[in-house]
Amino acid sequence: MPPPPPAAARSRGRCSALSFAAARDRCFSHRFRRAGLRPLAVPLPAPGPDPDPDPATTVHMWVPAGPPPRNPLLLLHGFGASATWQWAPYLRALIAAGFDPIVPDLVFFGNSCTRLPDRSDAFQASAIKAAMDAIGVPRFGLVGVSYGGFVGHRMAAMFPEAVDRVALVCAGVCLEEKDLAEGLFPVAGVGEAADLLVPRRPEEVRRLVRLTFVRPPLIMPSCFLWDYIRVMGSDHIQEKTELLYALINGRQLCTLPKLTQPTLIIWGEQDRVFPMELAHRLNRHLEGNSRLVVIKNAGHAVNIEKPKEVCRNIIEFFKEPVAGAANVDDKV
C-alpha cells in the first residue's frame, strides 16, 4: 500500500506510539537536550532592498543553551534522516573535548524550509551562514558529511573570514557530471541518483542501505521501512530532488573553488556512493592544504559505521596547530 500524503504521514508518524521511527526521533532529540543544546528556529528575510516582513527561509538548528559558544563547531548533515539522527553519537565526545556543537537542519530537511526557488549549494551555504550570524557566531569550525560536505565546502569558499577550518566526510565535491555517464558511480544519471538518495519505497531504502554500509542489516522488514519513510523521508521529496539536480547538473572540476583553510578529508575505504577516486581527487585539488584519512572496513556511511574513529580524527584535527594540515594519506 502506498504511503499517505507527506504532511499527514509525518504527523501521524510522530504522534503514533507504535512508530519505531518516531520514538527513535524523540530519543535523539532528548539526547541533544541532555547534552545542553536547545532547538531554535531562525527566521531569515528574503534578499533585496525591501524584503517581505514574513520570513522567506527558516533554519532550524540545535544550539548551546548556555553562554555564547567559545569553540563553536558547525555540524552539517547529509541526505537521509534528520540532523539529530546523524550527529547524536558525536555530541558527548565533542563536548568533552571542549567544542560547542551547533547542528542545523539544511533547508528542506528536518524543520528548515524556504519559499525561495534557489536550490543551489550556494543558497544553502548562505542560509546557514545567515543563521550563524543571527545567533551571534561569526567564526567557527565546520564539519560536513556527504551532501553537508558540498554545502560546507561552498561555505568555506564563500565565507573564508567565518570558516576557520574544514572537515569533509565522504563528500564527493570533486565529482563531475560526466563521471555518472562514464560509470564511476552506481547510478548513470541525476534522475537515478535522486531515486537512490530520496527513496520512496522499502526496496529503494534497502538498496541505499546496502550501498552505503559495508555490513548492512541482514533483515530489513518492510513495515519498519514504511514507518521510516512516513516519519523521516516523506517531506519535500520534490525539493530534495531539485537539490540534487542543482548540485550535479553541469558540475566541472575546473570551476570548483580551492579552499584556503586547512582541510581534513575523511573517507570510508569501501565507499560505493562516492568512490575513493573522489577522495584522492579532492586531496590533489586542494594542493597541499589538506590531509586524507581513510577509514578501513567502512563505506559511505562511515560517520554511522565508525563514529568513534571519525570523531577522534575530527577532534585531533580541530585541536592541532594550523600548520599541522599536510597533504598526506593516513589509514586507520
Side-chain angles (χ1 to χ4, degrees):
M1 185 172 77
R10 195 174 182 90
S11 175
R12 284 200 293 271
R14 290 194 181 278
C15 294
S16 173
L18 299 178
S19 170
F20 174 78
R24 192 169 178 82
D25 194 37
R26 290 192 296 269
C27 178
F28 285 135
S29 294
H30 183 59
R31 288 173 65 178
F32 269 64
R33 293 180 189 275
R34 282 205 327 253
L37 278 70
R38 63 183 177 92
L40 179 68
V42 182
L44 303 175
D50 298 305
D52 191 312
D54 295 328
T57 303
T58 298
V59 173
H60 178 272
M61 56 203 315
W62 289 87
V63 302
R70 292 178 297 176
N71 196 7
L73 188 61
L74 178 65
L75 307 177
L76 300 180
H77 65 84
F79 264 71
S82 68
T84 55
W85 287 53
Q86 297 187 31
W87 289 114
Y90 292 77
L91 295 181
R92 181 179 297 180
L94 290 174
I95 292 170
F99 296 99
D100 297 300
I102 298 173
V103 188
D105 290 322
L106 295 173
V107 177
F108 295 124
F109 296 87
N111 293 315
S112 296
C113 59
T114 187
R115 57 182 169 81
L116 301 178
D118 196 338
R119 301 292 182 261
S120 67
D121 56 345
F123 173 77
Q124 291 271 18
S126 296
I128 299 300
K129 175 60 168 59
M132 295 294 279
D133 290 341
I135 64 172
V137 181
R139 190 164 176 81
F140 47 88
L142 185 154
V143 185
V145 171
S146 193
Y147 176 68
F150 283 80
V151 177
H153 178 275
R154 185 65 61 181
M155 280 189 75
M158 292 172 63
F159 308 108
E161 75 289 348
V163 180
D164 179 51
R165 58 177 79 183
V166 186
L168 303 176
V169 183
C170 288
V173 296
C174 280
L175 74 84
E176 299 187 275
E177 185 179 5
K178 67 178 183 179
D179 290 330
L180 279 74
E182 292 175 358
L184 182 62
F185 306 116
V187 295
V190 184
E192 192 178 347
D195 290 339
L196 174 66
L197 294 174
V198 190
R200 308 182 193 193
R201 305 182 66 83
E203 56 268 27
E204 295 168 349
V205 178
R206 291 189 186 97
R207 184 191 177 201
L208 179 60
V209 170
R210 288 166 181 155
L211 275 172
T212 53
F213 285 81
V214 170
R215 294 183 178 87
L218 295 177
I219 301 174
M220 290 180 274
S222 292
C223 59
F224 286 102
L225 298 182
W226 274 128
D227 178 48
Y228 170 82
I229 292 169
R230 287 173 178 141
V231 175
M232 302 304 303
S234 59
D235 282 359
H236 301 301
I237 289 177
Q238 179 60 37
E239 290 87 351
K240 290 175 182 175
T241 301
E242 292 168 0
L243 292 177
L244 288 171
Y245 274 90
L247 193 70
I248 299 174
N249 274 345
R251 194 176 188 92
Q252 294 180 302
L253 182 60
C254 63
T255 63
L256 187 73
K258 297 181 188 293
L259 302 185
T260 58
Q261 301 92 334
T263 302
L264 174 67
I265 305 166
I266 300 177
W267 224 270
E269 188 177 36
Q270 300 181 51
D271 192 336
R272 298 170 61 195
V273 175
F274 292 141
M276 279 298 308
E277 158 59 24
L278 293 181
H280 295 298
R281 190 185 292 180
L282 177 58
N283 204 26
R284 293 191 299 268
H285 182 73
L286 295 180
E287 296 181 337
N289 202 33
S290 60
R291 177 170 73 246
L292 170 61
V293 173
V294 181
I295 308 293
K296 295 181 179 179
N297 300 315
H300 185 68
V302 62
N303 59 309
I304 303 298
E305 288 189 295
K306 302 283 186 175
K308 290 183 180 179
E309 290 92 330
V310 172
C311 192
R312 175 173 56 81
N313 278 281
I314 289 172
I315 290 171
E316 290 175 355
F317 171 70
F318 281 96
K319 279 183 168 289
E320 69 187 15
V322 172
N327 197 319
V328 297
D329 291 3
D330 296 336
K331 288 194 177 185
V332 298

